[in-house]
Amino acid sequence: MNNYTPKRVINGTFGEMWLDSEYCAEVTGLQAKISIEKQDVNQCGAFFKGSKVTGASGSGTIKANKVTSFFSKLVLDCIRTRKFPEYTIISNLADPDAYGAERVKLTGVTLDEATIADWEANKLGEQSIPFTFNNAEFLDFIDV
């Protein structure tokens, strides 16, 4: 795209997240990344190392206001029962000024950690929940 107006830049304020079918109103941010895994390939006569793609991995972080113990309880229950369920996350970012909405589905999501207690006088409660996932797909994407 050669030209755009600043009002078309998508604003995260319009983001939403669901964990399985549970709407998570306290979520203030979501980041999910896919990393390409490579192995070095040495070659005689080549000054630079080559590489071969051997896999991929997905990881991310949920940022949320601390309203309930929902996320902490999910992780603690997994540790207690020794059962680690996989969840589905749906991310929706639909700024009315943008060229469209972006909706992403993450599957095979496992929560990696949760803070059990973290507070300080005169400070609003926040939490970050790291996770991994094993697949992602765009349900809606922005294309102009």
Side-chain angles (χ1 to χ4, degrees):
M1 179 183 322
N2 294 333
N3 228 341
Y4 72 93
T5 59
K7 78 175 202 166
R8 298 296 186 183
V9 175
I10 201 153
N11 181 348
T13 298
F14 298 98
E16 299 176 290
M17 191 196 97
W18 287 260
L19 185 70
D20 286 346
S21 60
E22 182 89 20
Y23 179 68
C24 300
E26 69 273 26
V27 170
T28 60
L30 176 68
Q31 182 183 65
K33 293 182 177 184
I34 295 175
S35 298
I36 305 299
E37 296 171 359
K38 300 177 184 177
Q39 288 187 0
D40 288 344
V41 177
N42 294 315
Q43 297 171 291
C44 293
F47 187 71
F48 285 93
K49 287 183 182 178
S51 62
K52 179 166 180 66
V53 173
T54 58
S57 61
S59 63
T61 304
I62 300 165
K63 294 182 182 177
N65 290 316
K66 179 69 172 179
V67 179
T68 69
S69 302
F70 177 74
F71 289 107
S72 299
K73 188 171 177 334
L74 279 180
V75 173
L76 194 55
D77 287 349
C78 290
I79 292 168
R80 281 193 184 138
T81 63
R82 310 290 195 274
K83 295 179 183 176
F84 298 88
E86 292 184 345
Y87 301 99
T88 297
I89 288 178
I90 301 289
S91 168
N92 184 44
L93 185 53
D95 180 344
D97 277 337
Y99 285 115
E102 187 174 77
R103 204 163 49 110
V104 178
K105 179 180 179 181
L106 308 174
T107 54
V109 174
T110 56
L111 304 178
D112 294 342
E113 69 179 49
T115 302
I116 302 303
D118 183 10
W119 55 271
E120 184 178 329
N122 203 31
K123 184 178 175 190
L124 296 176
E126 298 175 322
Q127 55 187 335
S128 292
I129 304 98
F131 63 90
T132 54
F133 59 95
N134 60 28
N135 203 357
E137 67 177 291
F138 280 103
L139 301 176
D140 295 307
F141 60 92
I142 301 169
D143 188 22
V144 180

